Amino acid sequence: MDDENEVWNDLIGLPAEPPEMRDICNGCGRPEVVCWCKSLPITPLKPKSRVIILQHPAEEKRCLRTAPMLMRGLSEGKCLIFKGKKFPQNKHTGLMEIINMPNTILLYPSKESVDLTTLPKVSNTNLPYNLILIDGTWPQAKGIYNNASCLHKIKQVKLLHHPRSEYVIRTQPTDGCLSTLETAAEALSILEEINYRDDLLRPLKALCDYQISHGAVIHHSTEFKLKTKTYPKKLGRRLNKFLKELDEV
């Protein structure tokens, strides 16, 4: 009998109307109160080069991701996203053609990669670049790279000198890590000698500012926490191996 009364009391306590759903922005897919669309460039940017993103499926499920900001910030055809764990697949129409182009470069910190700043600038070449980025965590990106032998044949480049990440509401592995949006903005600015950073990063800064003003904390990188002895957990083998690999690049 007591159990029955408890059930009825629970039912009585239920609200008469379902909770009001927050309005969702049709552009970014986020609740309108945290929409970053108003911070996008008034007119999408038109660099001469293209950004090609190889995106791990798990990245698409993240709430705080930056690839959509890049897609919306660049004009149509200037940012292409191919999704999967292995590349290329039959569904990746046109990807192999891009990979085989002589002006295609892969931004990946392998032992063969060279400083991006050493490449000829777009203004001094007949062809703009196809800049390939791998979108995912470091283990995911490494897995994609290792399983795609076609990527190993592309000229590989890396960013050696760049500002610290503005993506302060998400923990980065090291101080040298950038989000996909920041990486693309930095690389395009270097290759074309035009400042794309300010316009492309404005939505990211707006998102971070809003989150912080509503209680989110600034996240230092794992590397920073280890150096300052503030990392809360014991360093696991995978993380230890990851940090060692980055030091060797």
Side-chain angles (χ1 to χ4, degrees):
M1 189 66 178
D2 290 340
D3 290 341
E4 184 177 343
N5 289 334
E6 185 176 346
V7 170
W8 278 110
N9 288 333
D10 289 341
L11 291 174
I12 292 172
L14 291 175
E17 299 292 337
E20 184 178 350
M21 300 296 291
R22 292 186 293 179
D23 292 332
I24 302 298
C25 171
N26 293 327
C28 63
R30 294 179 58 78
E32 288 189 353
V33 293
V34 289
C35 167
W36 40 256
C37 293
K38 55 184 174 294
S39 299
L40 289 166
I42 297 175
T43 302
L45 306 181
K46 296 182 179 180
K48 295 180 180 178
S49 301
R50 292 188 296 179
V51 179
I52 294 87
I53 297 177
L54 308 184
Q55 187 179 76
H56 191 280
E59 194 65 25
E60 188 180 9
K61 300 176 183 178
R62 295 182 182 275
C63 295
L64 303 176
R65 51 200 176 100
T66 64
M69 296 178 180
L70 181 62
M71 175 69 82
R72 298 279 307 284
L74 297 179
S75 60
E76 186 176 357
K78 291 301 181 179
C79 180
L80 307 178
I81 298 181
F82 297 92
K83 301 174 184 180
K85 294 182 180 179
K86 294 184 178 181
F87 297 90
Q89 299 179 40
N90 291 335
K91 64 180 180 180
H92 300 144
T93 306
L95 177 58
M96 201 62 203
E97 180 182 353
I98 294 173
I99 289 175
N100 289 329
M101 290 180 177
N103 58 322
T104 296
I105 57 178
L106 171 67
L107 209 157
Y108 183 83
S110 69
K111 293 181 180 180
E112 289 74 33
S113 60
V114 300
D115 185 353
L116 182 69
T117 61
T118 64
L119 266 59
K121 303 299 184 287
V122 171
S123 58
N124 298 327
T125 63
N126 293 325
L127 287 174
Y129 291 98
N130 294 314
L131 176 66
I132 296 181
L133 307 178
I134 303 178
D135 186 25
T137 64
W138 173 248
Q140 291 166 353
K142 185 179 178 182
I144 288 175
Y145 175 79
N146 289 339
N147 290 322
S149 58
C150 58
L151 298 180
H152 304 177
K153 304 173 184 178
I154 304 173
K155 186 174 187 62
Q156 297 166 33
V157 297
K158 57 188 174 183
L159 291 171
L160 290 181
H161 308 288
H162 54 77
R164 184 171 294 184
S165 176
E166 298 277 357
Y167 201 1
V168 294
I169 57 175
R170 183 173 173 181
T171 302
Q172 302 290 355
T174 72
D175 289 340
C177 289
L178 297 176
S179 66
T180 299
L181 172 68
E182 293 171 301
T183 300
E186 187 70 20
L188 288 174
S189 297
I190 291 172
L191 292 172
E192 303 199 0
E193 298 180 295
I194 297 173
N195 180 15
Y196 293 110
R197 303 178 189 89
D198 293 345
D199 287 336
L200 286 177
L201 298 188
R202 197 171 292 119
L204 177 62
K205 293 179 180 178
L207 173 64
C208 291
D209 288 345
Y210 179 88
Q211 296 290 121
I212 291 172
S213 68
H214 286 74
V217 297
I218 294 177
H219 290 225
H220 293 291
S221 70
T222 301
E223 178 188 29
F224 176 86
K225 293 177 182 177
L226 290 173
K227 288 180 179 179
T228 57
K229 298 182 179 180
T230 57
Y231 191 67
K233 297 180 290 186
K234 182 179 178 181
L235 191 63
R237 286 188 300 173
R238 179 179 293 183
L239 180 56
N240 194 16
K241 181 181 179 182
F242 164 69
L243 293 172
K244 184 177 180 181
E245 287 175 347
L246 285 186
D247 287 338
E248 293 174 351
V249 173

